[in-house]
Amino acid sequence: MPDRAQRADTRVTVDLVIFAIREARLQVLLIRRAVAPFEGRWALPGGFVLAGEGLEAAALRELEEETGVRQVYLEQLYTFGDPGRDPRGRVVTVAYVALIAADRAPLEAGSDAAAARWWPVDDRPPLAFDHDKILDYAVERLRNKLEYTTVGFQLLPRQFTLTALQQVYEAVLGRRLDKRNFRRKIALLGILTPLRERRTEGGRPARLYEFSARRFEKLKDKGILFPF
Amino acid sequence: MPDRAQRADTRVTVDLVIFAIREARLQVLLIRRAVAPFEGRWALPGGFVLAGEGLEAAALRELEEETGVRQVYLEQLYTFGDPGRDPRGRVVTVAYVALIAADRAPLEAGSDAAAARWWPVDDRPPLAFDHDKILDYAVERLRNKLEYTTVGFQLLPRQFTLTALQQVYEAVLGRRLDKRNFRRKIALLGILTPLRERRTEGGRPARLYEFSARRFEKLKDKGILFPF
DNA sequence: AATATTAGTGTAGCATAGACACTAATGCAA
DNA sequence: TTGCATTAGTGTCTATGCTACACTAATATT
């Protein structure tokens, strides 16, 4: 049994890695710190977990404070608790990843006073605390999940073209994909509903699609858990 | 900014899901609680993170206290922090999964005073706190990881037969595998070193093998991250 | 009407996964 | 010693999925 004297109470925070696709690149929302430590450095948005508040609830609260959006995809990433990761004392942080649909991502994120902006993940400033490590891990996780889940759809508006969907995959994975192979794979999944509408953007108009959560659930029931 | 009065300090614990293969089944080490709450119920071993101690360090310390083993595979699983998950107050727990090689798993685990024993995961008593949820999630993760990583080898002694390896996979996945397909897949990976020794156990003697971390690293370097 | 731009479509080769049954080497008991 | 029980070890065929690869279609602009 640990001695009561040694058993230190600890402050617990949540940090958020908020991703969106902007200008066909994977971008992350960062805030510029106004106070020490790391004053002036960019950091992941986050904050303390309140008394009686669940971890995910705290993450959702911070997310809404930062971006104004609700009902987004949110997933716990990892918990970082090295002593010394925060010079102010013992702070354990539970990191979450949020995915925001392109059309719901605030243009230049309107945070309360503090400067906040989107940065391309592969062209970003050095971050405060151990946030570089957190962000790197988040990107790795997102890349992996993209290949065997349907999280990719969370980065798109409800209606989208197949080209837009492919651009999401290319932006996250960081490499070009073959158009025909990509479309065949998607079609084989059978989780997209084609719509009557088309959208025209410079050339031949493209058909719009919707993600069909209903069909996806049916696949899951059959044990086809991760169709990607 | 959260109000300072609302920002509650919190106790942080680590809980351990310690797996081993025993009698060809996936088993987990549980301890019987001697004190309230949940007195008499079985629970995952765990304890408070000490001041100045890292999360993983705390998990390793608890693991050694509980089993006496060192240098085991240890991986962070998930962090559970629902308010109300512990009737004594706000406790956030970081759950870890440990894999112990069959030959190093204590026979009937010798914990300090408290009763401790191995239970088959699919034939276990109801657990204290939210530990059933934690254990279920750990099993799910282990099953997934088994298929695309080499964690399976962590559940075996350094030298083992292919049949023993297959039994590990069958015990974790909970289904029988085809002997020829299994052996072909393993051979294709090229990460096993055949030894001269054989081990005889009732019938024809079986060749022993060693996991070759060196060859595995070479594969990783080539980008073949998860050969399974 | 010509041009630029984006959407949309099929096939062939290769690798991987699953189904499937018999022979080989040893220990033990009659 | 021989036969029997027990565990080890081996190859092929089929189906499925992945990769590479090039042209036609529909619109807007000049």
Side-chain angles (χ1 to χ4, degrees):
Chain A
M1 278 291 180
D3 195 66
R4 189 161 249 283
Q6 287 191 274
R7 181 215 287 178
D9 277 3
T10 301
R11 277 171 297 170
V12 176
T13 60
V14 291
D15 282 325
L16 283 165
V17 181
I18 306 172
F19 285 127
I21 306 290
R22 292 163 53 88
E23 297 151 9
R25 303 176 78 179
L26 179 64
Q27 305 208 9
V28 61
L29 187 64
L30 300 176
I31 58 168
R32 191 201 275 275
R33 288 184 58 81
V35 297
F38 296 104
E39 185 180 345
R41 284 282 273 281
W42 294 88
L44 297 172
F48 289 97
V49 176
L50 305 184
E53 184 182 46
L55 298 174
E56 187 169 316
L60 285 169
R61 176 177 52 75
E62 292 287 343
L63 181 62
E64 196 183 341
E65 282 173 21
E66 215 57 60
T67 64
V69 300
R70 292 171 192 243
Q71 293 194 317
V72 297
Y73 177 85
L74 185 73
E75 177 194 329
Q76 187 182 305
L77 176 65
Y78 198 82
T79 298
F80 299 83
D82 279 357
R85 61 173 293 279
D86 189 322
R88 290 166 299 183
R90 186 56 182 273
V91 180
V92 166
T93 195
V94 185
Y96 281 81
V97 174
L99 303 183
I100 300 204
D103 61 328
R104 299 205 295 163
L107 292 181
E108 275 310 325
S111 172
D112 30 321
R117 59 161 282 198
W118 293 97
W119 289 86
V121 293
D122 53 3
D123 185 19
R124 68 190 199 228
L127 304 186
F129 306 105
D130 51 0
H131 289 187
D132 276 307
K133 192 165 72 169
I134 298 177
L135 178 48
D136 286 342
Y137 188 47
V139 171
E140 189 189 327
R141 252 287 252 288
L142 179 60
R143 283 189 178 144
N144 286 333
K145 281 226 153 179
L146 201 66
E147 311 218 31
Y148 59 91
T149 71
T150 55
V151 284
F153 296 100
Q154 306 292 335
L155 290 163
L156 285 172
R158 245 192 54 213
Q159 306 189 343
F160 50 85
T161 65
L162 292 180
T163 299
L165 181 60
Q166 183 173 344
Q167 279 169 355
V168 167
Y169 274 75
E170 291 180 336
V172 173
L173 297 177
R175 59 187 160 93
R176 304 299 307 272
L177 301 174
D178 180 87
K179 193 180 4 175
R180 280 172 291 189
N181 292 340
F182 182 80
R183 288 160 109 99
R184 176 157 37 91
K185 201 158 141 185
I186 298 291
L188 234 49
L189 291 178
I191 52 172
L192 288 192
T193 309
L195 304 176
R196 285 227 183 74
E197 293 82 7
R198 286 156 206 277
R199 169 176 305 159
T200 173
E201 200 149 359
R204 170 172 170 177
R207 182 177 288 277
L208 286 173
Y209 290 82
E210 266 184 14
F211 176 64
S212 165
R214 249 184 50 237
R215 292 198 210 165
F216 179 59
E217 290 305 324
K218 277 189 197 162
L219 287 177
K220 278 211 296 194
D221 293 346
K222 285 190 207 162
I224 310 173
L225 258 183
F226 296 122
F228 267 91
Chain B
M1 279 292 180
D3 195 66
R4 189 160 249 284
Q6 288 190 275
R7 181 214 286 177
D9 278 3
T10 301
R11 279 171 294 171
V12 177
T13 60
V14 291
D15 282 324
L16 283 164
V17 181
I18 307 171
F19 285 126
I21 306 290
R22 293 164 52 88
E23 298 149 10
R25 303 175 78 180
L26 179 64
Q27 305 206 11
V28 61
L29 187 64
L30 300 176
I31 58 166
R32 191 201 274 275
R33 288 184 58 81
V35 296
F38 297 102
E39 183 178 346
R41 284 284 272 283
W42 294 87
L44 298 173
F48 289 96
V49 177
L50 305 183
E53 185 182 45
L55 299 174
E56 188 169 316
L60 286 168
R61 175 178 52 75
E62 291 287 343
L63 181 63
E64 194 182 342
E65 282 173 22
E66 215 57 59
T67 64
V69 300
R70 291 171 194 243
Q71 292 195 317
V72 297
Y73 177 86
L74 186 72
E75 176 193 330
Q76 188 182 305
L77 176 65
Y78 198 82
T79 298
F80 298 83
D82 280 356
R85 63 172 291 277
D86 189 322
R88 291 166 297 184
R90 185 57 183 274
V91 180
V92 167
T93 195
V94 184
Y96 281 81
V97 174
L99 303 182
I100 300 204
D103 62 328
R104 298 205 296 163
L107 292 181
E108 275 310 325
S111 170
D112 30 321
R117 60 160 282 202
W118 293 96
W119 289 87
V121 292
D122 52 2
D123 186 19
R124 69 189 198 228
L127 304 186
F129 306 104
D130 51 0
H131 288 187
D132 277 306
K133 191 166 74 170
I134 298 177
L135 179 48
D136 287 341
Y137 187 48
V139 172
E140 190 190 328
R141 247 293 251 281
L142 179 60
R143 283 188 180 143
N144 287 333
K145 280 225 155 181
L146 202 65
E147 311 219 31
Y148 59 92
T149 70
T150 54
V151 284
F153 296 100
Q154 306 293 334
L155 290 162
L156 286 171
R158 244 193 54 213
Q159 305 189 344
F160 51 85
T161 66
L162 292 180
T163 300
L165 181 61
Q166 184 172 345
Q167 280 169 354
V168 167
Y169 274 74
E170 291 179 337
V172 173
L173 297 177
R175 60 188 159 92
R176 306 299 306 273
L177 300 174
D178 180 86
K179 194 182 359 177
R180 281 171 292 188
N181 292 341
F182 182 80
R183 288 159 110 99
R184 175 158 38 93
K185 201 156 141 186
I186 298 291
L188 234 47
L189 290 180
I191 52 172
L192 289 191
T193 309
L195 305 175
R196 284 230 182 72
E197 294 81 6
R198 285 155 205 279
R199 170 176 306 159
T200 173
E201 199 149 359
R204 171 173 169 177
R207 182 177 289 277
L208 287 172
Y209 291 82
E210 265 183 14
F211 176 65
S212 165
R214 246 183 52 235
R215 290 197 212 167
F216 178 59
E217 290 304 323
K218 277 188 198 165
L219 288 176
K220 278 212 296 193
D221 292 346
K222 285 190 208 162
I224 310 174
L225 258 184
F226 297 122
F228 266 92

